[in-house]
Amino acid sequence: MHGMINKSIEDLVTIQFGADKWEAVKKKAGVTETAFVSNQSYPDAMTYGLVGAATEVLGLTADQVLYAFGEFWVTHTAFKGYGDMLMSAGRTIGEFLDYLPLFHTRVALIFPNLKPPRFECSDRHENGITLHYFSDRPGLSMVVVGMLNGISKLYKTPAVVTHTKFKDKGADHDEFLVNWGAADQK
Amino acid sequence: MTDSAPMLDHGQFSKLFPFHFIVDADMRVIDTGSVLARVCPKIVPGALINDHFLLFRLASEPIKAFNRDFIARQENTLFVFKSTSTDLMLRCQVLILRDPERYLFLGSPWVRNPTELKALHLVLQDFALHDSTVDLLQLVQATSTSLHDAKQLSEKLEQRVADRTAELSMANAELSRVMRSKDDFLSAMSHELRTPLNAILGLSESLAEGVYGDMNTKQVKSINTIAESGHHLLALINDLLDIAKIGAGKMELELTKANVEDLCQASLRFVMEQAQKQKINLKLVMDNQSVMLTADERRLKQILVNLLSNAVKFTPNGGSVTLETKCDLESESLMFSVRDTGIGIATEDLKRLFSPFTQLDSKLSRQYAGTGLGLTLVMKLVELHGGSVAVESEIGKGSCFTVRIPCKGLDTLNQHNPSGTISLTEITPAETLPSNTPLILVADDNEINLMTVTDYLRANKLRVIQARDGLEAVKMVREHIPSLVLMDIQMPLMDGLDAIAHLRADDKHTDMPIIALTSRAMVGDRERCIAVGANDYLSKPVNMKQLVKTIRAHLPNDETL
């Protein structure tokens, strides 16, 4: 898993719940890293372990943690590390989401040791888009929902995200409808 | 273009090259790419390109008025244009087209980080997909983020190291404080424990000698038990303090050249009384009788006495204990072996032999008194000398403890010296101090007192000879003419008072200073001693500093050092 994901979990827990909680999460997950480096690859099991430990330490459900993490990833961690790049990805939420597949293609090109998820866009229209999410990593669709809400906040464009296809219920991938109404302005 | 080359319409061409522009031979704009037109709206067909772009060459001033001839000459080089109205820089390749003559510039903005994109009002979609600029920007951003993370990680690690160092410093400071407290405690306890113990031992001795009246058998037995226990306790305290001192690195060796034979004799004398009681044959075997050794004499004697005491203690009546010395020229060391015909030690017990408070068989603890610290102390003292201790033993046959003490220059020091077994009766103490050093005769029948006083006086640069009863004292005074006599009063064969009287009766010894030393602390003792001819009187337990002070006060001025 991309180091930025773990870093984001660390930032989320530390900023919103306190450093002692983060130390408790790390201890519970058996993680000994002092800090994570964004573009380094870490074992997926470590990330799942951190999420699992966070649910226990913080008293939240896995979905709550994953959603919070997804949103936080966009608004804080990714914004902090890739803010200019993120904001250059589109003038509007629509342009941004349309660029998302290409962004991940480029991540895979730059970091061949990482295994980013794949996105596709369809049904583009003025106030919405359908986003298709393909990943071999199970159970992370709530992260995507959180991220989409984060992007909506980043572009100051209120949006409604609807999870329409579920891989864990038999579909070949997850699908999300993102609608932002008429307020798409930036 | 060949016939097989694809023909692109303006839209397709602009999609592939959104920042291109075409000029004619007069450098007037014919066409621009869609994104360039948006970013630089004044570059319209008919405009003179020189008005909107400066041409940069490496390491030179910008070229304002470039023309067709200049461009034609530079066809195979990279063109870098700088917008005169914005921060946009374009890196381009030129293609010269014929019929009509035109110049096609293909390229993309030169941006080094995503922040510059923002300043130019460009987004990633403005770049053609085949343009690697965006990939490079993403790579630059990722690298920059990684560097930032690595720096943060480094800072965190530095902080952890600093925190840990601070913790360790605090722990060290606390440890030092505790160690100081421990040393202070030991020092205080040493004083506090020894003071009442001196009184216990002194009064026990006085009681046993009948100073306070006669006692019945039970009382004598009890007072002897008190005295024995007191001596045991004193030995224990001394050993504990020595071990604590070594542990705290506070024991410093007083290295001097020591005569090994003297050292062995003195050590053997200490156990002689007990050996005689047990009818144990004591032997000293030396391969070289004149060998000298640089060591702390007092501590080396402590090592040998400890080993010899153990050997005597664990050897049955009628056995033998041998102290053997051997020069090992190869390792430049001196070996002291204490061999006995005692009860021996099982192989499995040898490992824990040098651990504190270890007596190998609890039954032995009752049968053979000991502090349990002797061998620990031996090991530590030997290590302090840079040496080692080895032990060989067999149950029922005996043990042999060998101490190796490094001794540099052994080969040159000890050539042509005889070797042999020495009978203890032949032993005479030899002095290593200069012959003009004051010579003190110490007369005392108690071996511990004799050894303690002798050691202390020698440590204070005085030569010492010893006598164990009054008769021997008179004989030695006549033979050696000492500078001063330290005379114990209670002694066998002839007591101190008679010995003083004999000496004073001889004209040769009327002026010789004699200090009476006795455990009698009764009214009139002093007067009796002075009356028979003693110059001064000290009562036991004597303060060693006071003893030396008194001795020096009585020595003729030209003999004091």
Side-chain angles (χ1 to χ4, degrees):
Chain A
M1 196 79 80
H2 194 275
M4 191 179 271
I5 306 294
N6 294 344
K7 195 172 166 58
S8 184
I9 297 173
E10 175 184 353
D11 288 349
L12 170 69
V13 176
T14 305
I15 292 171
Q16 298 196 353
F17 299 93
D20 54 333
K21 292 286 185 194
W22 170 241
E23 288 305 320
V25 169
K26 268 208 311 181
K27 192 175 175 187
K28 194 157 202 65
V31 172
T32 54
E33 262 74 1
T34 302
F36 299 104
V37 176
S38 292
N39 296 304
Q40 194 175 314
S41 178
Y42 294 88
D44 284 2
M46 184 185 283
T47 308
Y48 283 109
L50 286 170
V51 172
T55 60
E56 287 187 48
V57 172
L58 306 176
L60 300 170
T61 64
D63 277 355
Q64 282 173 320
V65 170
L66 292 171
Y67 178 90
F69 156 67
E71 185 178 304
F72 189 86
W73 190 86
V74 172
T75 55
H76 286 77
T77 314
F79 190 74
K80 203 163 64 179
Y82 290 86
D84 289 335
M85 203 70 187
L86 274 181
M87 297 314 288
S88 300
R91 293 179 190 82
T92 64
I93 187 172
E95 280 186 9
F96 181 93
L97 294 177
D98 208 22
Y99 180 71
L100 211 52
L102 185 55
F103 177 81
H104 283 82
T105 303
R106 286 189 155 127
V107 168
L109 190 66
I110 295 169
F111 301 110
N113 57 328
L114 294 178
K115 203 176 158 193
R118 186 165 64 83
F119 286 94
E120 281 179 15
C121 294
S122 67
D123 308 310
R124 299 170 184 83
H125 56 90
E126 194 182 350
N127 299 320
I129 200 166
T130 300
L131 193 67
H132 305 266
Y133 166 65
F134 300 85
S135 175
D136 292 337
R137 298 185 177 99
L140 298 180
S141 54
M142 275 311 280
V143 176
V144 181
V145 178
M147 283 170 68
L148 290 170
N149 277 286
I151 292 163
S152 145
K153 284 183 179 175
L154 211 60
Y155 281 88
K156 297 185 176 69
T157 304
V160 176
V161 178
T162 313
H163 197 168
T164 49
K165 275 188 182 174
F166 299 82
K167 191 179 176 185
D168 57 9
K169 288 182 182 170
D172 66 334
H173 70 282
D174 288 282
E175 186 184 274
F176 306 91
L177 293 181
V178 188
N179 287 294
W180 49 84
D184 181 5
Q185 54 200 5
K186 174 102 176 117
Chain B
M1 285 185 191
T2 64
D3 291 343
S4 60
M7 297 300 292
L8 305 175
D9 63 28
H10 183 266
Q12 288 172 320
F13 194 80
S14 190
K15 188 176 180 181
L16 282 177
F17 303 104
F19 296 94
H20 82 271
F21 61 92
I22 305 171
V23 294
D24 62 18
D26 297 325
M27 298 293 113
R28 290 197 178 274
V29 175
I30 299 172
D31 185 31
T32 58
S34 57
V35 178
L36 181 63
R38 193 189 80 225
V39 178
C40 298
K42 288 183 180 173
I43 304 179
V44 292
L48 199 60
I49 195 70
N50 286 334
D51 291 342
H52 301 283
F53 279 135
L54 300 175
L55 179 59
F56 275 82
R57 309 303 298 171
L58 289 177
S60 67
E61 290 296 308
I63 300 160
K64 293 177 184 173
F66 51 93
N67 56 32
R68 54 182 289 195
D69 297 332
F70 178 84
I71 293 169
R73 287 201 307 273
Q74 308 286 327
E75 191 179 0
N76 292 321
T77 58
L78 192 67
F79 285 78
V80 179
F81 293 103
K82 165 87 176 69
S83 165
T84 56
S85 56
T86 71
D87 291 330
L88 178 69
M89 287 182 82
L90 285 180
R91 54 188 296 287
C92 302
Q93 179 176 1
V94 68
L95 199 64
I96 301 172
L97 307 175
R98 305 292 172 195
D99 301 326
E101 183 181 338
R102 288 157 298 161
Y103 298 88
L104 169 61
F105 288 90
L106 297 169
S108 70
W110 174 240
V111 282
R112 287 158 297 184
N113 59 61
T115 313
E116 289 182 10
L117 271 186
K118 199 176 170 187
L120 292 169
H121 304 289
L122 292 172
V123 292
L124 303 181
Q125 287 89 331
D126 289 333
F127 291 78
L129 287 179
H130 67 81
D131 188 344
S132 62
T133 302
V134 175
D135 303 280
L136 292 175
L137 283 176
Q138 202 157 321
L139 183 62
V140 165
Q141 182 86 74
T143 307
S144 163
T145 306
S146 290
L147 281 173
H148 177 263
D149 291 348
K151 194 178 165 203
Q152 267 194 336
L153 176 60
S154 168
E155 283 169 0
K156 277 188 182 179
L157 288 171
E158 276 175 21
Q159 188 58 47
R160 273 182 65 177
V161 170
D163 290 348
R164 191 81 188 107
T165 305
E167 280 172 22
L168 285 173
S169 295
M170 281 177 69
N172 278 340
E174 178 61 13
L175 195 61
S176 299
R177 194 189 64 72
V178 170
M179 289 300 285
R180 275 197 305 278
S181 300
K182 190 186 109 183
D183 292 342
D184 291 346
F185 172 76
L186 283 171
S187 170
M189 285 310 287
S190 162
H191 178 72
E192 296 299 324
L193 290 172
R194 283 183 212 243
T195 304
L197 204 51
N198 276 336
I200 291 169
L201 291 173
L203 287 170
S204 302
E205 197 178 333
S206 299
L207 281 167
E209 288 175 3
V211 171
Y212 301 109
D214 293 337
M215 290 188 295
N216 62 33
T217 314
K218 274 191 175 179
Q219 285 169 327
V220 170
K221 199 175 170 186
S222 298
I223 205 68
N224 284 338
T225 306
I226 290 172
E228 276 171 25
S229 301
H231 281 298
H232 181 83
L233 193 54
L234 186 61
L236 190 62
I237 290 165
N238 288 337
D239 284 359
L240 266 176
L241 287 171
D242 281 345
I243 287 173
K245 259 192 203 172
I246 294 171
K250 288 201 166 182
M251 182 174 282
E252 287 181 10
L253 297 179
E254 292 175 21
L255 298 178
T256 54
K257 282 261 182 219
N259 182 300
V260 175
E261 189 183 338
D262 285 353
L263 195 68
C264 293
Q265 287 172 10
S267 305
L268 284 162
R269 264 199 302 276
F270 191 83
V271 296
M272 198 182 292
E273 192 180 336
Q274 185 59 36
Q276 281 166 354
K277 276 185 197 168
Q278 291 175 232
K279 295 186 172 54
I280 288 171
N281 181 25
L282 276 185
K283 270 189 293 185
L284 172 61
V285 179
M286 300 183 75
D287 71 342
N288 187 325
Q289 285 176 241
S290 306
V291 69
M292 301 288 285
L293 174 69
T294 301
D296 185 322
E297 198 173 345
R298 191 164 75 89
R299 295 300 178 186
L300 202 48
K301 197 185 293 177
Q302 197 175 353
I303 292 167
L304 295 179
V305 167
N306 250 308
L307 293 177
L308 286 166
S309 300
N310 270 352
V312 169
K313 191 162 61 180
F314 292 105
T315 298
N317 288 0
S320 73
V321 171
T322 306
L323 172 58
E324 190 179 333
T325 67
K326 198 174 174 186
C327 298
D328 185 350
L329 297 180
E330 196 176 323
S331 65
E332 287 195 302
S333 53
L334 195 64
M335 323 288 258
F336 295 88
S337 297
V338 175
R339 195 181 303 277
D340 66 50
T341 56
I343 58 174
I345 305 157
T347 312
E348 61 270 23
D349 289 332
L350 289 175
K351 281 182 200 165
R352 53 194 184 97
L353 199 58
F354 294 94
S355 304
F357 296 110
T358 299
Q359 275 205 337
L360 302 176
D361 185 340
S362 57
K363 282 180 284 182
L364 296 179
S365 304
R366 291 187 290 276
Q367 192 178 344
Y368 303 102
T371 63
L373 291 169
L375 286 178
T376 308
L377 192 55
V378 164
M379 177 67 95
K380 287 186 182 292
L381 287 171
V382 170
E383 283 173 352
L384 214 54
H385 276 87
S388 60
V389 186
V391 56
E392 292 170 36
S393 190
E394 197 175 334
I395 290 282
K397 290 198 173 177
S399 306
C400 178
F401 286 79
T402 301
V403 168
R404 184 187 62 78
I405 303 287
C407 182
K408 292 265 179 203
L410 201 56
D411 50 343
T412 54
L413 267 173
N414 303 295
Q415 286 170 353
H416 313 302
N417 288 313
S419 62
T421 303
I422 302 162
S423 158
L424 290 182
T425 53
E426 292 171 8
I427 293 169
T428 52
E431 292 291 344
T432 54
L433 291 165
S435 58
N436 62 346
T437 310
L439 180 66
I440 312 296
L441 170 66
V442 181
D444 199 318
D445 64 326
N446 183 304
E447 285 290 343
I448 297 173
N449 289 346
L450 198 59
M451 184 181 169
T452 310
V453 172
T454 299
D455 282 352
Y456 198 82
L457 297 186
R458 283 182 177 160
N460 280 274
K461 311 287 183 201
L462 292 164
R463 288 188 300 149
V464 178
I465 51 176
Q466 301 168 332
R468 286 168 181 75
D469 57 58
L471 274 180
E472 192 182 9
V474 171
K475 187 180 164 216
M476 289 192 78
V477 166
R478 285 176 180 154
E479 283 174 7
H480 296 278
I481 323 285
S483 313
L484 183 145
V485 177
L486 204 58
M487 188 76 79
D488 184 31
I489 299 303
Q490 290 288 317
M491 285 192 292
L493 301 178
M494 179 187 281
D495 70 18
L497 290 173
D498 284 347
I500 295 170
H502 267 83
L503 290 172
R504 289 307 186 213
D506 188 336
D507 289 346
K508 289 177 193 166
H509 308 305
T510 49
D511 295 332
M512 178 183 292
I514 301 176
I515 299 169
L517 197 64
T518 177
S519 55
R520 291 187 172 202
M522 301 293 288
V523 178
D525 271 357
R526 179 184 176 84
E527 287 69 22
R528 269 193 291 277
C529 291
I530 301 296
V532 293
N535 299 73
D536 211 334
Y537 164 93
L538 290 170
S539 64
K540 293 181 188 175
V542 69
N543 177 297
M544 289 296 173
K545 280 186 183 169
Q546 181 59 42
L547 174 65
V548 171
K549 201 174 165 187
T550 308
I551 288 172
R552 296 215 183 276
H554 287 282
L555 284 173
N557 285 340
D558 57 346
E559 287 200 50
T560 51
L561 292 175

